[in-house]
Amino acid sequence: MTRPTAVTTRRVTTPPAVSAPETAVAPDPAPRSASAHQRFFATGHAQVVDEHDRVLWQTLQQQTEGGKRFRPALLTGLYAALGGTDHEVAARVGDAVELLHTAFVIHDDVIDGDGVRRGRPNITGTFTDRATASGAAAGPARHYGEAAGILAGDLALAGAVREIALCGARPTVVARLLDLLEEVLHRSAAGELADVRVSLSADASMVEALDIAEWKTAAYSFQLPMQAAAILAGADDEVVHALTQAGRALGIAFQLRDDLDGVFAPVEETGKDPLCDLREGKCTALIVAARSTPLWEQLETLVGDPDLSPQGAQRARDLLVVSGARDAVETHVGALRDAALASSAALPDRAAATMAAMTELLLVRSATLRPSDEIVASAHESARGAA
C-alpha cells in the first residue's frame, strides 16, 4: 500500500458571535484528559448546524452507550498482558475500535431494516419516528430514517479512523494500525455484502455461512483489537500470527452464538427483537443446518415470513431445537472455542490467560429453550413420515 504523505489537520469551529482579539484561541470543546470518545462527541456537538443535526449527534452518542464494550477491553487487556505500558494510547485505539463497531452496527441496522437496538429506537427508528410525527407518510419517513442511519454510521467510521491516526503512537506504528484497519474494512464490507447476497437464494452452504461470520465479525471484532494490541506492544510476528488465528476462531464462534441468541434470547438480553432474524429469513449457520433436516418443510413456511407472529416464531424456535439444527451450531461453537484456546496456548503466559478468560466470557450460552411436548411429538411424527 502506498502511504499518503502527512497532512496538517485543523479543527473547524463555529465563529463566535462577537469578534475576539487576534491573540485569542478558541477553547477546545473537550479537555485533553478526556477520552477519545468524549473528544469526538464534544467536537461533533460543538459543530452542529441545526436542531436535526443536534439530534443526529445526540442519537449517535446514545448508540455508543451501554453494551459490553468487550472490544476495547480485549485490546487493552491483551496490550497489558503483552507488556505494553502506554495505556493511554491503547485506550485511544480501543475507543476507535468501539466507534468502528458503532458505525458497523448502525449500517447493519439499515441493511437489515431494523428500527430498534437494545430495546429502544436506533438512529433509523428515531428519525423515522420524527418524520412520522411531522406528518410524513410511512415510505418517505422510513427513507429519512435510513438516510440518518447511513450518515451517522459514516460519521462514526470517519471518527474511528481519526482516533487511530491521532492515537499518539509512533508514526510507524500508526501506519501499521491504519494498514490493518484498511484490510479489516475491506473484509467486513465483503462479509456484509455476502450476508445479504446469500439470503437471495436458499442454497447457501455451511462453508459460506462460516466465511461470512469470519469476514463480517471475526475480522473487526476480534482480529483487529487483538492484532492492534500486539502491534502497540511491539510483539513479534509469531505472537501476531497466533492472535490472528485465535481471533478468527473466537470471532466465528461469537457470531454463531450471536445468531443463536438472535433467535432464542429475549430482547431484554440482546437488545434486538427476537422476531427480526426469523422474519428476515437471514441465512445464518442455524438456518443452513435446519435446511438439511427433515423438518425444514415445516420451518420453510415460517422462516422469512415478514408477518410472522410471536406464536409462529415460537413454533419455529421449537422446530429448530427438535430438528437438531441448534445442537449442530452449538457443536460448531464448541469446536471453534477449542481452536481459539489451542492457538492462544502459543502466546506468552499472561496473554494466554487473558485470551482464555475472554473466550469463556464471550461464548456463554445466553438462552435455553425447552420445546413443548406437543411440538416434540409433532416434529418427531413429521420426521418419521419424511423418512
Side-chain angles (χ1 to χ4, degrees):
M1 159 179 176
T2 302
R3 305 204 192 287
T5 57
V7 296
T8 301
T9 60
R10 63 183 180 90
R11 190 184 304 283
V12 178
T13 57
T14 304
V18 265
S19 297
E22 290 185 3
T23 55
V25 178
D28 197 337
R32 290 289 166 188
S33 60
S35 72
H37 265 11
Q38 290 171 324
R39 292 179 60 77
F40 171 72
F41 286 111
T43 301
H45 286 302
Q47 295 176 357
V48 296
V49 298
D50 61 19
E51 173 64 13
H52 309 285
D53 189 26
R54 184 192 67 78
V55 175
L56 184 69
W57 277 93
Q58 181 182 58
T59 313
L60 173 57
Q61 186 167 8
Q62 290 171 349
Q63 186 88 55
T64 67
E65 297 169 353
K68 298 174 182 175
R69 286 185 59 86
F70 73 82
R71 295 164 189 85
L74 185 58
L75 190 155
T76 56
L78 276 172
Y79 174 75
L82 290 168
T85 57
D86 195 338
H87 301 292
E88 185 175 343
V89 168
R92 288 180 192 140
V93 178
D95 274 351
V97 173
E98 191 66 11
L99 194 56
L100 178 69
H101 167 63
T102 297
F104 283 169
V105 165
I106 293 169
H107 283 160
D108 194 54
D109 281 349
V110 174
I111 292 168
D112 291 347
D114 292 341
V116 175
R117 171 69 55 171
R118 297 184 188 131
R120 64 186 182 187
N122 57 17
I123 292 176
T124 295
T126 295
F127 279 82
T128 298
D129 291 345
R130 284 172 63 85
T132 301
S134 71
R142 182 70 183 183
H143 176 70
Y144 178 61
E146 290 172 345
I150 293 169
L151 295 170
D154 289 348
L155 289 171
L157 179 57
V161 176
R162 186 177 190 277
E163 287 182 11
I164 289 178
L166 300 179
C167 70
R170 297 191 312 276
T172 53
V173 172
V174 171
R176 288 187 66 188
L177 292 174
L178 290 174
D179 284 348
L180 174 61
L181 178 63
E182 182 180 40
E183 179 187 350
V184 164
L185 287 172
H186 187 167
R187 283 192 287 157
S188 296
E192 189 68 66
L193 185 62
D195 191 31
V196 177
R197 185 185 68 250
V198 298
S199 295
L200 299 176
S201 63
D203 57 357
S205 68
M206 184 61 74
V207 170
E208 287 176 303
L210 297 178
D211 280 345
I212 290 169
E214 177 182 353
W215 302 336
K216 183 179 171 183
T217 300
Y220 91 88
S221 286
F222 293 88
Q223 290 176 313
L224 172 59
M226 291 162 63
Q227 289 178 260
I231 291 170
L232 286 168
D236 59 35
D237 290 343
E238 288 75 13
V239 169
V240 175
H241 176 73
L243 287 171
T244 302
Q245 296 304 109
R248 175 188 177 277
L250 179 55
I252 297 173
F254 181 84
Q255 182 59 58
L256 298 187
R257 169 67 62 222
D258 189 64
D259 290 340
L260 289 169
D261 289 347
V263 171
F264 294 104
V267 66
E268 295 80 13
E269 194 165 332
T270 65
K272 241 188 135 175
D273 184 350
L275 288 172
C276 190
D277 282 358
L278 289 171
R279 283 175 172 169
E280 186 185 342
K282 209 164 189 178
C283 193
T284 63
L286 179 66
I287 298 305
V288 171
R291 282 178 178 153
S292 65
T293 72
L295 295 182
W296 177 245
E297 187 175 344
Q298 293 182 55
L299 274 164
E300 192 173 18
T301 63
L302 302 169
V303 175
D305 178 3
D307 299 316
L308 184 67
S309 67
Q311 294 77 19
Q314 185 56 53
R315 177 168 176 78
R317 293 186 196 102
D318 289 343
L319 290 169
L320 287 166
V321 172
V322 177
S323 69
R326 178 171 179 167
D327 283 345
V329 176
E330 291 284 2
T331 298
H332 277 293
V333 171
L336 288 161
R337 169 192 169 278
D338 292 345
L341 292 174
S343 294
S344 300
L347 298 171
D349 289 346
R350 282 186 63 198
T354 299
M355 277 299 303
M358 290 296 288
T359 297
E360 298 303 331
L361 178 66
L362 292 169
L363 298 183
V364 171
R365 184 168 178 163
S366 297
T368 302
L369 177 68
R370 293 179 62 82
S372 67
D373 293 341
E374 179 183 352
I375 290 291
V376 172
S378 172
H380 285 321
E381 183 64 32
S382 297
R384 283 195 295 271

